[in-house]
Amino acid sequence: MKKLRLGMIGGGPGSFIGAIHRIAARMDNRYELVGGAFSSSLEKSLETGKELDLNENRIYPSYQELILQEKEKPANERIQVIAIVTPNHLHFEPAKMALENGFHVVLDKPMTLSLAEALALKVIQEKTGNLLCLTHTYTGYPMVKEAKQQIAAGKLGKIRKVYVEYPQGWLSTAVESKQADWRTDPSKSGIAGAMGDIGTHAFNLVEYVTGLRVQKLCADINIVIENRRLDDDGAVLLKFDNGASGVLMATQIAAGEENNVKIRVYGEKGGLEWQQVDANTLTIKWLDEPAQTLRTGSGYLSSFAQHNTRTPSGHPEGYLEAFANIYKNFAEHILAIQNQAEPKKESLDYPGIEEGVRGMAFIETVIASGKSSEKWLDLLKVEC
Amino acid sequence: MKKLRLGMIGGGPGSFIGAIHRIAARMDNRYELVGGAFSSSLEKSLETGKELDLNENRIYPSYQELILQEKEKPANERIQVIAIVTPNHLHFEPAKMALENGFHVVLDKPMTLSLAEALALKVIQEKTGNLLCLTHTYTGYPMVKEAKQQIAAGKLGKIRKVYVEYPQGWLSTAVESKQADWRTDPSKSGIAGAMGDIGTHAFNLVEYVTGLRVQKLCADINIVIENRRLDDDGAVLLKFDNGASGVLMATQIAAGEENNVKIRVYGEKGGLEWQQVDANTLTIKWLDEPAQTLRTGSGYLSSFAQHNTRTPSGHPEGYLEAFANIYKNFAEHILAIQNQAEPKKESLDYPGIEEGVRGMAFIETVIASGKSSEKWLDLLKVEC
Amino acid sequence: MKKLRLGMIGGGPGSFIGAIHRIAARMDNRYELVGGAFSSSLEKSLETGKELDLNENRIYPSYQELILQEKEKPANERIQVIAIVTPNHLHFEPAKMALENGFHVVLDKPMTLSLAEALALKVIQEKTGNLLCLTHTYTGYPMVKEAKQQIAAGKLGKIRKVYVEYPQGWLSTAVESKQADWRTDPSKSGIAGAMGDIGTHAFNLVEYVTGLRVQKLCADINIVIENRRLDDDGAVLLKFDNGASGVLMATQIAAGEENNVKIRVYGEKGGLEWQQVDANTLTIKWLDEPAQTLRTGSGYLSSFAQHNTRTPSGHPEGYLEAFANIYKNFAEHILAIQNQAEPKKESLDYPGIEEGVRGMAFIETVIASGKSSEKWLDLLKVEC
Amino acid sequence: MKKLRLGMIGGGPGSFIGAIHRIAARMDNRYELVGGAFSSSLEKSLETGKELDLNENRIYPSYQELILQEKEKPANERIQVIAIVTPNHLHFEPAKMALENGFHVVLDKPMTLSLAEALALKVIQEKTGNLLCLTHTYTGYPMVKEAKQQIAAGKLGKIRKVYVEYPQGWLSTAVESKQADWRTDPSKSGIAGAMGDIGTHAFNLVEYVTGLRVQKLCADINIVIENRRLDDDGAVLLKFDNGASGVLMATQIAAGEENNVKIRVYGEKGGLEWQQVDANTLTIKWLDEPAQTLRTGSGYLSSFAQHNTRTPSGHPEGYLEAFANIYKNFAEHILAIQNQAEPKKESLDYPGIEEGVRGMAFIETVIASGKSSEKWLDLLKVEC
């Protein structure tokens, strides 16, 4: 099987998420990283290229150069997929230019700096027909996929109640000058801090797993650490399109918490629970029967869960594998198109432009709600 | 040590909570149940009396008779403490009459049918000087007491965020005709269903553990099961008097859930977590150090935790022991007064009239908020 | 329902297990403690009697006096059941005398100081026809009873492998002079330390749950703490009568461990797991299906589990309730006999003389094996 | 950083462990797989080569051809490291030939078919000076490394007791004809089944973590499934060189179990516990203080744990990352030598020839013990 040639924008020295994207792309042997514009500094970009054992000729001084020069290369050489792992304010322009110049795009979340950009990008993506994949990592976990399938198959009956939470503690002190850098800077991060960084993950997770759409919300948005410029904490009451209600909690000031994304969904017949700290387990609790513990790698799981697992049950897979699943499925989709084959339905199960637009609608609505004295705000209407 | 003579109002055939109160009273040998008006039917009351091996002469046809006749007995015979375990609409009158006639009172929660009744009862209790104990069970757990002590000692620094939840599933179907009986009947339960039955437990737990007071709230209150007359689900955004924020979740339609009350509190330096399903563990998570697991019965715990434990660490104590701790401490308080001794501070650590008034203020505010289009409502001001 | 009149031998000031027995007897209102010989010192015995609010006339200077004087009382006054909670060397004589004088007996484990005494007691018990109950606490847990029922019903198929463990840490240092007192003194404890104190619990648990009988064993028995006189650690390979094999681990020098008795049993179709730290959960793991989590208080459990539970699911019951179940069932057995009724099969499910004899056979064999260079020793043959 | 050129022997169509080795090698970008003899069938080997997008010229019909032809290539082209992932009976010859022809070797465990082969390989490895890495996966987990460091630093005091277990259920039925294939065939697997396949992992883990050496053992070795040719279950009593004792349990017939390797070690001051199902947690239990929960990715961990982690705390890493750590460290060792640099001590922390020899000594001793009526057998003496 031929590997896809991958280029990267962003992800230079010190980038956490760039390194993660590279491991994810590498894991299943579906991509070969061949070039990049890893930094706005060519020197730093070259440093990363060397570290990665890349050909110096394909390290570019800017994302524009990367796109323009790669476009000129022969078809069997040029980059096919571009991963954009820059801060939020540098998502739209590179993604637009990449799509318009014939590249498929992997984009880190949230999709853009604003809903307006997101909607514009949607138009561009649809016009060009090139594919876009948005790395909402948590939907890449096999047991999250299993949760979605169980609910879609009606196992829980009509959904009534949802709790989703994303507690972190790493912004419990004023770490702005250090790692928090652009994440607390409105000009780079957009109007939201915690809600953009992790709230969108929780929002995406809940809509993915339940198949429901948030219609209205009521948010309590806080800046807990003095002088911080963006929200570092929030809780949101949710109303879904089927009448269910929910609660979304996302905070970066829960001192002592790591990163334990967790979702609980309750329907007429039972409830299910998944949390990242025990990522290979999906618990289903029934109304009048013993709860069941479903485990990654087991033969009784749906094809979606099995498609996204590499090892037999009992060999824990984690965050990097979940991330890699998104890359893998995206590659399978592209390769199917290249081979004029029908992609497997499991391969199409990755987040893209629709999830990106809804995420931006969530961000703008939730921040508006935080400032509003009205109780319920409709989620900004977008045609996704 | 002399035992206190106990009488009971309510708790006849089929009563869940009556049996629990009796086990709790019995556990530590501080009470002897000697009489009761267990039911509005004398026949049923006698049946319960026989089952309990009580003297038939002290089974009364009504709570009024119990109070009036016991009052006439010689001091060394008559009932000293009356436990009232009737539905909510039958709390105020028996409690009032008991207090006014010289009895100490144990009262099940919520304290009354309305805030007005609660405030009136407070006046009566203060005037008579007789003691009242409200059985908010969860604050009886030793590790909940430890949590309060850790926070009071400043171990977590200033409190910033609180999550408290109480998920149940037993009202997931229309069980009104069966066990749910009076709990879903407004004339007996008051204006709240789930919020009164379990929401008040969560509210009491959060104020007890943090030492903070809820100032404002914003509630989403739902009736999920068709034709139910009272709320069976709700989520509440909270604002505390020190500026902290929180979320309170209480539901009785989370199909598959049992009764896992859980609280998480985060301060500047770390967070703590307790949940009933693992009741003998208190987890403290620190900002930059390994989390710690504190366990019931350990020598390093506060005097409040140790005072409320009967066995060495590793011998799980549970719900009945937590309930019994409330009875035990109440007895110690009464016995100290009888002996004109200073009660131990640990003995005074049980819920009473103040907690009852605040609980009723919570119920009335949260139900009002559920109906309001205003975002934040102040908790009804009461001088507790 | 009439309560049984209970007397106690042992359990004076400072006794841990005496207080536990009294709570257990009290919990379900089936016994009234009316007298005792709590200590070899009458003064101490009176002190305990006063603390328990007992009539001074029924506090006796010796167990002999208790038995002889109570025997003379009228039938509707005299003690009916005697609980013996003394160190091991004071089990046989009081139990023998109590049985021979018409009393039923509750006896703490291990049953006697030696197998010879155990066999003698069995003869006496059978001859007198009075009942004997041995407080192997762990078989009183409802989920342990459920485990036994699941296996007895063939749910796991033929049993192949068993792991049972009982790790404690409280003898990790030389605490002989303090709480360890008689437990490390061969003249009071018998030939075994840890193996007698907790190894017998593990042995009883494994035979109870599986319904199998240990045929052969191979033991590694250690004294880890210098100058200790009895074993404080051991591990034992087991062979069962159906060909299954197992491992029994019991230690009191596992520093940091509390008291987490745990059993795992595997058959052809699946395995089950129970541990005291999560006592209200029984996990059943199936060969090709999701594991199931059974929970105390649930409607789907066997009558044996339900009979031994007081609260709905989600209200944790613990060690004291497990202990109380033994007392409760013993009372139900006695009361059925008194009423010439057929006892319920659930009431008969408590440990007695057979379990006591097998426990002593285990102790003698395991200590012999520890000293032997032969690999496998047959469990001393006794006709239980 | 230049990548090492990797070749592979074994790992053709259907191989589980071959795919794992390739992911592990790929994860950290330290290797590029350039060729292989994936199967004894050239056709199948070519199929795997194509699937992996390899140059057809470097797919060889046999391991001999691979070694001989690669040896002739120019230094900047030829394979530098050979991974051998064949069944046990095909370990020694390829490893010997690879080492003798100038290649470094990654070898799957157990190292050889017999102890004699292992000792011979040790001589060869020492003579050639080429490096050998043995993939005992579990010692690649960061929290296993942390456990070793905590013990080496004396945090637990002198070690007294060890429990290590490896329960699997996948051989609970007669699956010989399917996936169990060579693992139950003595001519390919050697004298041991479960003891060789997973018992050696447990043995390696316990010696790695404690730093102790097993001196004597007493084994119960079973064939549970009828007609199986090799052991599928066993339990072993252990004696260590410092006087500590232990228990090793390894089974493949624990129906319902997945792969939950677990180790518990107790010293004078406390104990620690790690299990694969919660691989990112290391629990340390103290004698008189709250237990601590150490978590992968935390700043307070040793350099050994941190060196083997890719993500911040809260992003679970799993089995593939543990495997990759072994590959990564081996690469760092080789690259340091190539660069004539001092390797970091963390890079040297991977299993090799010594662990392989001890593993084979364990296998031969444990199987002999299983057949012996003598209680204790000395571990076959080897100079590691």
Side-chain angles (χ1 to χ4, degrees), chain C residues 297-352:
Chain C
S298 300
Y300 50 71
L301 296 176
S302 68
S303 65
F304 287 85
Q306 300 211 18
H307 182 73
N308 289 280
T309 311
R310 292 152 193 81
T311 51
S313 76
H315 299 78
E317 301 198 16
Y319 176 82
L320 295 170
E321 286 78 19
F323 217 117
N325 288 335
I326 295 176
Y327 265 90
K328 185 186 72 145
N329 291 324
F330 192 52
E332 291 172 355
H333 188 188
I334 294 170
L335 291 164
I337 288 174
Q338 288 183 357
N339 301 330
Q340 297 182 296
E342 186 69 26
K344 299 173 70 169
K345 67 182 187 298
E346 294 83 3
S347 306
L348 295 175
D349 186 29
Y350 63 83

Side-chain angles (χ1 to χ4, degrees), chain C residues 10 84-92 113 181-183 188-189:
Chain C
I84 301 171
V85 300
T86 44
N88 305 347
H89 68 303
L90 287 170
H91 283 189
F92 176 72
L113 202 64
D181 56 342
W182 64 265
R183 279 193 176 78
K188 295 179 178 164
S189 194

